[in-house]
Amino acid sequence: MAEIIGVKFRSGGKIYYFSPNDQPLAEGTKVIVETARGLECGEVAMGRKEIPDEQITHQLKQVVREATDADLKRVEDNKKKEESAFGICEKRIAAHNLPMKLVGAECAFDNSKILFSFTSDGRVDFRELVKDLAGIFRTRIELRQIGVRDEAKMLGGLGICGRPFCCSTFIGDFQPVSIKMAKEQGLSLNPVKISGTCGRLMCCLKYEQEAYEDLIKTTPRVGSIVNTPDGKGTIIDVNLISGILKVSLDAFADAAPRSYSKKLVKVIGKGARPVEEPVEEEELPPELLEEEKPKQEKAPEHRQNHGGQNRQNHQNRGQNQNRTENISAQTNNNGSHQNGGNNQRRRNNNNNNRGGGQRAANYRGGNRGSGNPRPGGGRNE
């Protein structure tokens, strides 16, 4: 067991554990504690108590001291400095024409660092901005990009319920929220009605989700066939909170549905809507089983026929390929014989030209001298 106290650094912020260091500290007391960012001034949100060692995820840091008047005055001065730094940073962002929205500025307790929080649709190259701000404030500058939920948590505001934002008042860490929660709770799926000011799903959808999950396990679903005091019927509407079911009775199909408590009905079937679970053979009627047996017997034969057709197709392809090769071979042979005959005729013509006189010799000589190929080609000579 370890003795701890809980300290928070802003209204509605997360509570961090610290070792009280044997100091009598009550809730609401301002204290100076040592953090990973250096010395910080916070408020005791949870008095001293002992917790199991398993709940401590990191080494506890010490409470340095209870805040003095000088410490509180420094905190007030830092707040004024944060307001001034916020305005200067906004002007420098506009001067550098950066696509970012400044949300807040936070000055460290010992003035060793100024942290600027901003939102942006994508990544921003703010290196030149950091150099510019460091030259103005003469201290370490840190820029941190945050999400829209963190922005709403820092700025605060009023929700559609008329109350202050849950995230800025008492929520420490954000919990995952999904559209499935809205479906299970029977809410409208219109994004305008189930989204908060930040544009994300409202955090309050998570509050009652566990209760709805328990009620869903004990309440019949819409479409189930049930037995009621007035006969058999089908559920057409369910109210999870009150446990009231609206049932359309088979005996009074044209009448308005009647309301029954879920304790007065008994589920006897899933109804006409499609069932995702596989149906077992023993639950099928005998006539359906008789119809399915021939199909199961024909299945191997059907596959065998496919196998025979495949083998026949392969044989046909082989025969077609052989025919194509034979035709190609015949074509090549015919082309060779035809070329041979042409070459023979050219030889005869050339011999006649050689014996015919000076005109044929001059014709050949002119072609050789000019480098132009003869009609017959050099290979046929």
Side-chain angles (χ1 to χ4, degrees):
M1 301 293 287
E3 188 177 18
I4 57 92
I5 63 170
V7 178
K8 63 180 181 179
F9 299 97
R10 62 169 60 93
S11 177
K14 184 179 178 181
I15 297 178
Y16 298 89
Y17 291 159
F18 290 90
S19 176
N21 201 14
D22 297 332
Q23 299 183 32
L25 301 172
E27 292 187 16
T29 304
K30 298 290 185 179
V31 293
I32 305 299
V33 295
E34 180 183 358
T35 66
R37 298 163 53 182
L39 294 179
E40 295 288 341
C41 180
E43 179 181 348
V44 178
M46 184 173 60
R48 298 174 60 173
K49 71 174 186 178
E50 293 183 351
I51 62 174
D53 295 335
E54 292 78 11
Q55 298 184 10
I56 301 176
T57 58
H58 58 277
Q59 185 178 2
L60 291 177
K61 295 186 178 295
Q62 302 289 331
V63 174
V64 178
R65 63 180 181 272
E66 184 177 352
T68 61
D69 295 337
D71 295 332
L72 297 178
K73 186 177 184 302
R74 175 179 290 185
V75 171
E76 294 296 329
D77 294 339
N78 288 343
K79 289 183 179 179
K80 295 179 181 179
K81 188 176 182 179
E82 290 171 0
E83 295 178 359
S84 175
F86 186 89
I88 295 175
C89 185
E90 278 189 326
K91 294 179 181 179
R92 302 317 304 166
I93 290 174
H96 288 275
N97 196 21
L98 295 176
M100 52 192 294
K101 175 186 175 183
L102 189 63
V103 177
E106 183 179 354
C107 185
F109 178 75
D110 54 0
N111 292 323
S112 61
K113 179 178 63 175
I114 300 178
L115 173 63
F116 295 98
S117 302
F118 70 94
T119 59
S120 178
D121 294 335
R123 296 181 62 87
V124 180
D125 185 5
F126 48 75
R127 289 175 292 183
E128 296 298 328
L129 176 63
V130 172
K131 295 178 182 179
D132 195 359
L133 295 175
I136 296 174
F137 297 107
R138 300 294 180 180
T139 186
R140 181 183 175 186
I141 302 297
E142 181 177 345
L143 273 76
R144 182 180 62 182
Q145 186 172 358
I146 61 176
V148 290
R149 283 191 169 184
D150 294 310
E151 178 186 6
K153 184 181 181 70
M154 295 179 63
L155 299 179
L158 297 177
I160 59 175
C161 59
R163 296 178 59 86
F165 292 160
C166 299
C167 56
S168 62
T169 52
F170 61 88
I171 291 182
D173 294 327
F174 290 108
Q175 299 295 328
V177 184
S178 64
I179 195 68
K180 180 182 177 182
M181 298 179 182
K183 292 180 180 179
E184 293 179 349
Q185 297 176 23
L187 300 176
S188 171
L189 300 183
N190 187 350
V192 177
K193 295 183 179 180
I194 59 177
S195 299
T197 308
C198 60
R200 301 292 187 267
L201 293 175
M202 293 187 294
C203 299
C204 55
L205 294 176
K206 180 71 174 178
Y207 298 164
E208 300 176 353
Q209 179 60 22
E210 295 180 359
Y212 277 95
E213 290 177 355
D214 293 336
L215 290 173
I216 289 173
K217 295 177 182 177
T218 59
T219 305
R221 296 182 178 181
V222 175
S224 300
I225 301 175
V226 294
N227 268 336
T228 68
D230 299 325
K232 188 171 70 172
T234 305
I235 298 176
I236 61 174
D237 190 24
V238 173
N239 190 325
L240 291 175
I241 300 298
S242 62
I244 300 298
L245 311 176
K246 286 187 178 181
V247 182
S248 176
L249 299 176
D250 296 345
F252 308 96
D254 297 335
R258 300 185 182 183
S259 299
Y260 300 92
S261 173
K262 65 180 181 181
K263 298 179 181 179
L264 300 178
V265 302
K266 182 179 180 181
V267 179
I268 60 175
K270 296 292 185 180
R273 55 178 193 162
V275 181
E276 297 181 358
E277 294 79 12
V279 181
E280 299 179 359
E281 287 187 357
E282 57 190 17
E283 295 181 359
L284 294 174
E287 58 271 13
L288 293 181
L289 292 176
E290 292 177 0
E291 293 178 2
E292 287 191 355
K293 287 181 181 178
K295 295 180 181 179
Q296 294 177 357
E297 293 174 357
K298 290 181 180 179
E301 183 179 349
H302 184 64
R303 289 193 295 270
Q304 186 176 1
N305 291 335
H306 275 295
Q309 291 177 1
N310 291 334
R311 287 193 296 272
Q312 185 176 0
N313 292 334
H314 284 298
Q315 293 176 1
N316 294 333
R317 292 193 190 97
Q319 294 176 1
N320 293 332
Q321 186 175 3
N322 293 331
R323 293 195 192 99
T324 304
E325 293 176 355
N326 293 332
I327 293 172
S328 299
Q330 292 175 4
T331 303
N332 293 332
N333 292 332
N334 293 333
S336 299
H337 289 300
Q338 185 176 1
N339 290 333
N342 293 332
N343 293 334
Q344 185 64 31
R345 285 193 295 271
R346 290 192 183 94
R347 292 192 190 97
N348 295 332
N349 292 331
N350 290 333
N351 292 331
N352 293 331
N353 290 330
R354 289 192 184 96
Q358 187 68 28
R359 184 177 179 182
N362 293 335
Y363 176 77
R364 290 198 304 273
N367 287 337
R368 291 193 184 99
S370 60
N372 295 328
R374 289 181 301 167
R379 293 181 182 178
N380 296 328
E381 192 173 9

